[in-house]
Amino acid sequence: MDLGIAGKWALVCGSSKGLGLGCAKALAQEGVNVLMVARGVEQLQESATKIIAGCAHSTGSSVLFCAQDITTQVGRDAVFAMRSDFDIVVTNAGGPPPGDFRDWDREAWIKAVDANMLTPIELIKATVDGMAQRGFGRIVNITSSSVKAPIDILGLSNGARSGLTGFVAGVARSGLAAQGVTINNLLPGVFDTDRIKTMLHSNAQKTGQTVEALADARRKTIPARRFGNPDEFGAICAFLCSVQAGYINGQNVLADGGAYPGTY
Ligand code: NAP
């Protein structure tokens, strides 16, 4: 299916690896021009080079990168100095650390809210009016299945991302919707990325179990009996950015292999 977005410009945050990289790759495969953002320049440059070699040569899309911390104003200013009229924005940054809520002070909360609520809101604020003027826009926020089914040790994520989800529910249904702008959240369950590997390693150290035993036990809790891969996540993101998805707006789209146990 031709998604109808070749030649558009996308800002994809947190895209040197993992889910953000999956999104950048899928969009470039559709002929979308992509500006990739992450803090570490080496990994970012390597990933951008791979996308150019893998597909951007054949689709003709431009792939740029900007090594910045997207959760800071300085970082966002540097990104928007490179380009400001994006048609597609994928918001993403690292998730907050797990832990016990008794150990989180105000600083920990501010950091989580900054990264997982206020940064996406700033990015939306900076881009949607231009999208509306041009009559087309797609925002996809990478959040988490923990918004629908909270995970106790991820309280910082549950709280901060729920704030973003509430904001998006309102703004997606504002006047922007009639001007061709959709805003949706894409909720990953368990995907095979460095973040999950890090969490499994830290659990293995705490419990004395092997990483593989813990991963197997986790897979058994998922009806699909496997972790998702970033490429399939990217393909869902690209579809949400497509012309065909213009009537999908204000939704929380779960990609979790059936792990969420609810009927709705
Ligand atoms: P990942 O593999 O650790 O990748 C995170 C990416 O974001 C990297 O490119 C990282 O590069 C970049 N990044 C992190 N902080 C950044 C910042 N402040 N500014 C700019 N770029 C930043 O993580 P992932 O698994 O893809 O997860 C992506 C998001 O989905 C996270 O918020 C995570 O909590 C959430 N999530 C993931 C899963 C899963 O199963 N993987 C499940 C639920 C939710 P640098 O470090 O170089 O900046």
Side-chain angles (χ1 to χ4, degrees):
M1 188 196 292
D2 177 358
L3 299 186
I5 48 178
K8 304 271 187 209
W9 267 97
L11 168 62
V12 187
C13 305
S15 54
S16 64
K17 57 184 184 172
L19 304 179
L21 175 57
C23 296
K25 219 196 289 181
L27 288 166
Q29 278 163 357
E30 292 300 320
V32 175
N33 304 308
V34 180
L35 173 53
M36 299 167 68
V37 184
R39 292 163 303 180
V41 68
E42 273 178 31
Q43 179 70 56
L44 184 60
Q45 184 166 19
E46 190 185 317
S47 296
T49 305
K50 276 191 190 151
I51 293 183
I52 292 166
C55 68
H57 272 322
S58 54
T59 60
S61 54
S62 301
V63 178
L64 306 179
F65 63 89
C66 185
Q68 290 290 339
D69 182 341
I70 198 67
T71 68
T72 66
Q73 190 60 50
V74 170
R76 290 190 292 274
D77 287 347
V79 167
F80 289 121
M82 282 184 79
R83 185 162 196 108
S84 58
D85 54 345
F86 294 101
D87 309 295
I88 293 166
V89 175
V90 180
T91 75
N92 179 36
D100 185 320
F101 74 92
R102 294 169 190 83
D103 300 328
W104 298 327
D105 56 13
R106 180 177 165 77
E107 204 186 323
W109 274 106
I110 295 294
K111 211 172 159 198
V113 168
D114 236 347
N116 299 109
M117 178 183 172
L118 300 181
T119 293
I121 291 173
E122 286 294 337
L123 293 168
I124 290 169
K125 194 169 90 180
T127 55
V128 285
D129 290 330
M131 292 175 177
Q133 273 164 21
R134 295 187 297 276
F136 179 93
R138 298 285 184 265
I139 305 272
V140 176
N141 302 300
I142 300 181
T143 66
S144 172
S145 61
S146 71
V147 172
K148 272 181 84 87
I151 303 164
D152 63 348
I153 56 162
L154 290 178
L156 289 170
S157 169
N158 302 337
R161 295 189 203 274
S162 293
L164 174 65
T165 306
F167 169 77
V168 166
V171 75
R173 292 166 174 87
S174 70
L176 294 163
Q179 294 172 284
V181 180
T182 68
I183 311 180
N184 292 290
N185 304 316
L186 184 47
L187 284 54
V190 186
F191 277 78
D192 193 6
T193 68
D194 281 2
R195 176 165 167 87
I196 289 305
K197 287 184 188 105
T198 306
M199 287 176 118
L200 287 170
H201 273 284
S202 119
N203 263 355
Q205 270 170 358
K206 270 187 220 145
T207 61
Q209 295 183 66
T210 64
V211 168
E212 210 29 62
L214 288 168
D216 273 347
R218 194 70 198 270
R219 281 187 203 100
K220 287 193 181 114
T221 67
I222 303 168
R225 295 288 185 266
R226 66 177 179 86
F227 295 163
N229 76 66
D231 286 346
E232 61 191 340
F233 187 87
I236 302 168
C237 175
F239 180 72
L240 288 175
C241 296
S242 71
V243 167
Q244 290 88 341
Y247 213 48
I248 301 176
N249 185 33
Q251 300 304 303
N252 289 287
V253 178
L254 196 55
D256 71 346
Y260 176 69
T263 305
Y264 302 105

